[in-house]
C-alpha cells in the first residue's frame, strides 16, 4: 500500500512537465523555422530554363525574367544582387511587375538595373507597383485566392513607367508591341494586372502575328482567363509572376497557394498551358511563372521557395 502511494506521488511531477516541455519545444521549432524563413528570403538564386519556341535558323536568345522584386530603398543586399545580374548579358529582359514596396524605390531600382535597362526589355505592372504594402498577417498569404489591397497609399507607378520607358523598355499595359532582337522579330502582347482586374483582354485579343518569328505574352498575375486567351490566340509563351512560387512551401509537396486561380502545381517554373497539353497541340502554349525575388516588407519570409531571377534560353523547336 505504501509502495503504491509512493509510485503515484512520484509520477505526478513528471506528468505536469510534459505539456510545458512540448510547448517549449514547439516554440523553439517555430522560432527556428521563422529564422530560417527570414534567411531564405535573402538567399537569392538564378534559375535556368530552356524553352524550344524559335523557328529554324533563329539564334538562341537569352531572356532574363525578373519579377516581384518588391524593392525598398534600404534593401542593399537585394540591390547588389540585382546589379550582379548585369553580368548575364541577356539579349532581352522581361519584367512582370511588383517592382516596388516603397514610394522612394523607383530611383534605387533604376540604379540597380543600370546597364540592364539599356538591354531590350518589356514590362507590365503589378498591384504592388500601384499601391503601398500594408502590415498584415503573413499567414493570410496562405488563404486561397488571395486579397486585393487598393486602399493603401498610391505608389509612383507613372514615374516608374516613365523611367523604364525612358531607359528603353517597352510597356505592355493592355497593348501590343514588336521588337527585333538579334534579328528575331518578336510580337508581344501584355495586360495590366489581372489580380486587380485591370486587365483589358479585349484590347489585346485576336490572333497573334503569324508573320513574326516568335509570339510572347506578358502578364503580372497568371489568372486562367488571361492564360487561356493568350494560348487560344497563338502566343508561343506567356511570362508571369505574382505567385511568389507559393512563398511558404512544404518540402516535397511545394506550393500550397498561388494567390490567384492558377493551381499550386504551376506556382513557378516552366509548364504548358493548358496544363495537360503538349507542344504542337492546337491552342496551347508554354507558361513560365517566376517565383519572384521579393516579399512584402511586412512578411519577409520564404520557405522552400528561394527568391529568384530566371535566365530563360529560347531555342529552336525540335524537328517534327
Ligand atoms: Fe509580388
Amino acid at each position: 500500500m505504501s509502495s503504491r502511494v509512493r509510485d503515484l506521488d512520484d509520477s505526478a511531477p513528471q506528468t505536469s512537465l510534459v505539456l510545458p516541455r512540448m510547448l517549449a519545444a514547439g516554440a523553439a521549432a517555430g522560432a527556428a523555422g521563422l529564422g530560417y524563413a527570414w534567411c531564405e528570403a535573402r538567399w537569392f538564386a538564378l534559375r535556368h530554363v530552356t524553352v524550344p519556341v524559335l523557328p529554324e535558323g533563329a539564334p538562341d536568345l537569352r531572356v532574363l525574367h525578373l519579377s516581384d522584386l518588391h524593392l525598398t530603398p534600404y534593401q542593399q543586399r537585394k540591390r547588389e544582387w540585382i546589379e550582379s545580374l548585369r553580368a548575364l548579358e541577356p539579349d532581352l529582359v522581361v519584367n512582370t511587375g511588383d517592382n516596388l514596396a516603397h514610394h522612394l524605390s523607383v530611383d534605387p531600382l533604376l540604379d540597380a538595373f543600370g546597364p540592364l535597362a539599356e538591354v531590350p526589355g518589356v514590362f507590365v505592372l503589378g498591384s504592388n507597383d500601384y499601391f503601398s504594402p500594408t502590415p498584415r498577417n503573413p499567414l493570410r498569404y496562405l488563404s486561397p485566392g488571395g486579397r486585393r489591397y487598393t486602399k493603401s497609399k498610391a505608389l509612383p507607378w507613372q514615374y516608374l513607367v516613365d523611367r523604364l520607358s525612358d531607359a528603353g523598355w517597352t510597356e505592355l499595359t493592355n497593348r501590343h508591341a514588336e521588337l527585333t532582337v538579334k534579328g528575331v522579330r518578336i510580337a508581344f502582347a501584355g495586360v495590366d494586372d489581372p489580380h486587380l482586374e485591370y486587365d483589358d483582354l479585349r484590347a489585346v485579343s485576336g490572333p497573334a502575328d503569324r508573320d513574326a518569328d516568335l509570339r510572347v505574352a506578358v502578364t503580372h498575375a497568371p489568372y486562367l482567363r488571361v492564360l487561356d486567351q493568350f494560348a487560344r490566340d497563338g502566343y508561343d509563351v506567356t511570362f508571369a509572376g505574382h505567385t511568389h512560387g507559393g512563398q511558404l512551401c512544404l518540402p516535397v509537396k511545394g506550393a500550397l497557394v498561388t494567390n490567384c486561380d492558377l493551381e499550386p502545381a504551376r506556382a513557378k517554373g516552366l509548364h504548358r498551358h493548358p496544363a495537360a497539353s503538349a507542344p504542337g497541340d492546337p491552342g496551347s502554349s508554354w507558361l513560365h511563372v517566376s517565383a519572384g525575388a521579393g516579399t512584402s516588407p511586412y512578411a519577409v519570409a520564404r520557405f522552400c521557395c528561394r527568391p529568384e531571377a530566371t535566365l530563360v534560353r529560347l531555342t529552336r523547336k525540335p524537328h517534327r
Side-chain angles (χ1 to χ4, degrees), residues 54-302:
L54 292 177
E56 190 65 28
D60 285 4
L61 296 180
R62 293 159 59 84
V63 180
L64 179 61
H65 184 183
L66 298 172
S67 198
D68 298 84
L69 295 170
H70 292 267
L71 187 71
T72 64
Y74 49 82
Q75 289 174 331
Q76 185 61 29
R77 181 181 171 86
K78 187 187 289 180
R79 288 163 62 181
E80 290 172 0
W81 174 73
I82 295 169
E83 288 174 16
S84 75
L85 299 174
R86 304 169 183 175
L88 298 172
E89 298 185 343
D91 303 306
L92 174 71
V93 178
V94 174
N95 181 326
T96 45
D98 269 13
N99 295 275
L100 310 179
H102 192 280
H103 69 284
L104 295 177
S105 292
V106 176
D107 289 335
L109 178 76
L110 268 292
D111 289 346
F113 284 159
L116 273 181
E118 296 165 16
V119 172
V122 294
F123 67 95
V124 292
L125 300 184
S127 58
N128 286 279
D129 296 310
Y130 288 109
F131 299 103
S132 298
T134 53
R136 69 187 75 161
N137 181 349
L139 294 180
R140 277 193 173 172
Y141 188 84
L142 295 176
S143 62
R147 289 180 164 223
R148 291 150 185 83
Y149 295 88
T150 57
K151 300 256 189 298
S152 59
K153 187 177 170 193
L155 288 172
W157 61 269
Q158 186 62 60
Y159 181 51
L160 173 65
V161 168
D162 292 344
R163 288 291 317 266
L164 292 175
S165 301
D166 290 346
W169 287 3
T170 300
E171 184 191 5
L172 291 175
T173 302
N174 295 328
R175 65 182 66 169
H176 296 101
E178 184 182 309
L179 289 177
T180 298
V181 179
K182 289 176 68 177
V184 178
R185 192 159 78 81
I186 309 174
F188 291 96
V191 287
D192 206 347
D193 187 11
H195 191 57
L196 297 176
E197 300 182 346
Y198 287 1
D199 54 304
D200 183 356
L201 277 173
R202 283 186 304 176
V204 291
S205 64
D209 183 353
R210 299 311 304 173
D211 294 330
D213 297 311
L214 175 67
R215 290 145 289 277
V216 173
V218 183
T219 176
H220 174 64
Y223 276 84
L224 295 177
R225 65 180 185 276
V226 177
L227 304 182
D228 289 345
Q229 184 72 51
F230 285 143
R232 269 198 305 268
D233 285 346
Y235 286 89
D236 298 296
V237 56
T238 297
F239 288 86
H242 175 72
T243 64
H244 295 194
Q247 190 164 326
L248 301 174
C249 301
L250 293 179
V252 183
K253 180 175 174 57
L256 299 172
V257 294
T258 61
N259 206 16
C260 63
D261 61 0
L262 187 71
E263 72 279 9
R266 291 191 289 169
K268 67 176 179 181
L270 184 67
H271 301 276
R272 299 293 302 176
H273 188 80
S277 64
D281 286 354
S284 75
S285 69
W286 292 99
L287 167 66
H288 184 258
V289 181
S290 171
T295 66
S296 163
Y298 298 106
V300 184
R302 281 180 173 256

